[in-house]
């Protein structure tokens, strides 16, 4: 059993990215509109996205789970809105995203949601107001410096401006960009996927030869799921791990039957 699962796992390196995308946004500004529509669109395309739905920010430090999710994401989408900088969590996320951009080659996509990029870059307007409040209550000058530097840096990136384009169009363009980049990335790493379905059929036949007729129907459902996932070539690494997990699960059922 171990040798077969080892072959499955060795046909691809372990996933480097746990998520395709990390979404950084200010909940009160965009959770129930733009960010929700963007997340739904990415989910329909099979793009695995981390979105923190429950932000209990007041008086609490940023969750280690969020920082870890940023490190394990291939892309970060930052939705810079009017109140984004009023959240210490958002600013901490931003600093981490900038750090990962340099260390792990995290690709950053920007959406300026109803704000002027120059106001973000130079901390003017609403961004000046929130930083004036931060300086009253936060005594850690280095943290303030990092927040300002991160905002300035990301605001220099090109991005989508909702003031000049329909939100639905922006969401479509973001999804198209991600699918294209993810497809190229994983195709380069894993090459052509031709022949994968024949290997799935071999696995089905193997189960039949092992006498697993009673669980074969369940395995067949897994095979159909895997075939659907294979239509999205950028998910091939996850498919490999799924196959290994399924094989182990079904093998354990075989052991139970024998016992």
């Amino acid at each position: 059993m171990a040798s077969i699962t080892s072959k499955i796992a060795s046909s691809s390196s372990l996933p480097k990215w746990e998520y395709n995308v990390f979404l950084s946004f200010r909940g009160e500004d965009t959770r129930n509109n733009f960010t929700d529509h963007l997340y739904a669109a990415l989910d329909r395309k099979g793009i695995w996205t981390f979105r923190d739905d429950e932000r209990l920010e007041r008086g609490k430090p940023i969750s280690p789970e969020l920082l870890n999710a940023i490190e394990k994401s291939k892309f970060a989408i930052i939705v810079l809105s009017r109140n984004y900088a009023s959240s210490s969590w958002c600013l901490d996320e931003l600093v981490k995203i900038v750090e990962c951009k340099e260390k792990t080659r995290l690709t950053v996509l920007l959406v300026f949601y109803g704000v002027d990029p120059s106001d973000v870059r130079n901390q003017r307007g609403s961004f000046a107001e929130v930083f004036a409040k931060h300086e009253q209550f936060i005594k850690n000058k280095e943290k303030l410096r990092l927040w300002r530097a991160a905002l300035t840096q990301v605001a220099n990136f090109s991005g989508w401006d909702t003031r000049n384009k329909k939100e639905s169009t922006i969401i479509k363009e973001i999804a198209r960009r991600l699918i294209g980049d993810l497809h190229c990335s994983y195709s380069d790493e894993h090459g052509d996927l031709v022949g994968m379905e024949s290997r799935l059929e071999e696995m089905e036949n193997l189960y039949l030869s092992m006498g697993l007729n009673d669980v074969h129907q369940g395995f067949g459902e897994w095979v159909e799921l895997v075939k659907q996932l294979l239509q999205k070539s950028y998910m091939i690494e996850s498919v490999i791990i799924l196959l290994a997990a399924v094989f182990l699960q079904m093998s354990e059922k075989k052991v139970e039957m024998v016992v």
Side-chain angles (χ1 to χ4, degrees):
M1 297 296 177
S3 61
I4 296 175
T5 54
S6 297
K7 288 180 180 179
I8 295 174
S10 64
S11 64
S12 173
S13 57
L14 290 175
K16 183 177 181 181
W17 314 114
E18 191 167 314
Y19 305 100
N20 295 136
V21 176
F22 178 91
L23 267 179
S24 178
F25 63 97
R26 184 68 167 112
E28 68 181 57
D29 288 344
T30 67
R31 175 182 288 117
N32 297 321
N33 42 65
F34 180 81
T35 297
D36 185 61
H37 299 156
L38 174 60
Y39 179 86
L42 299 183
D43 184 61
R44 286 193 297 271
K45 298 293 184 181
I47 298 173
W48 294 349
T49 304
F50 183 96
R51 175 185 61 175
D52 179 37
D53 288 317
E54 302 297 332
R55 288 171 177 256
L56 303 176
E57 303 173 21
R58 296 182 182 277
K60 294 187 178 182
I62 187 170
S63 165
E65 179 189 10
L66 293 184
L67 299 178
N68 186 55
I70 294 171
E71 292 177 352
K72 294 185 177 180
S73 297
K74 185 171 180 59
F75 289 85
I77 298 177
I78 305 169
V79 183
L80 287 169
S81 56
R82 177 179 176 81
N83 294 300
Y84 184 92
S86 67
S87 165
S88 61
W89 274 30
C90 286
L91 292 172
D92 284 340
E93 285 178 6
L94 195 65
V95 171
K96 185 64 176 181
I97 287 170
V98 169
E99 175 188 317
C100 288
K101 181 180 184 299
E102 298 172 353
K103 293 184 177 180
T104 67
R105 296 186 179 180
L106 173 71
T107 300
V108 179
L109 303 181
L110 262 292
V111 176
F112 296 97
Y113 187 82
V115 297
D116 188 329
S118 64
D119 285 348
V120 180
R121 185 180 306 113
N122 300 298
Q123 282 101 64
R124 295 190 307 230
S126 63
F127 288 85
E129 295 172 8
V130 297
F131 267 97
K133 292 181 180 179
H134 285 321
E135 289 173 351
Q136 290 180 10
F137 299 103
I138 298 177
K139 304 306 179 182
N140 188 332
K141 301 301 181 183
E142 178 61 14
K143 178 180 283 288
L144 289 170
R145 186 192 68 79
L146 289 173
W147 285 353
R148 286 185 178 277
L151 268 177
T152 298
Q153 183 172 340
V154 299
N156 281 316
F157 302 158
S158 60
W160 289 269
D161 191 335
T162 61
R163 299 174 305 161
N164 304 324
K165 188 175 290 189
K166 291 182 179 179
E167 292 182 17
S168 59
T169 300
I170 292 175
I171 289 173
K172 288 179 181 178
E173 290 181 357
I174 291 174
R176 191 179 302 121
R177 162 73 188 277
L178 289 171
I179 289 173
D181 286 359
L182 288 168
H183 175 80
C184 291
S185 173
Y186 286 98
S187 292
D188 288 344
E189 291 179 18
H190 301 287
D192 196 354
L193 299 181
V194 172
M196 180 64 78
E197 289 200 14
S198 64
R199 275 175 254 164
L200 288 174
E201 292 176 2
E202 290 176 7
M203 289 186 69
E204 281 189 282
N205 293 333
L206 175 61
Y207 275 100
L208 288 173
S209 68
M210 292 168 60
L212 292 176
N213 296 306
D214 58 333
V215 297
H216 178 255
Q217 182 179 357
F219 180 73
E221 293 174 356
W222 279 106
V223 169
E224 288 306 312
L225 172 61
V226 170
K227 287 180 179 179
Q228 291 178 30
L229 293 177
L230 283 172
Q231 300 305 312
K232 304 176 179 66
S233 61
Y234 50 82
M235 299 175 72
I236 181 60
E237 290 183 342
S238 299
V239 170
I240 296 298
I241 301 304
L242 175 60
L243 284 174
V246 171
F247 194 91
L248 284 173
Q249 180 182 11
M250 295 301 183
S251 299
E252 288 172 357
K253 288 186 177 181
K254 170 63 175 178
V255 172
E256 292 174 1
M257 292 167 56
V258 173
V259 174

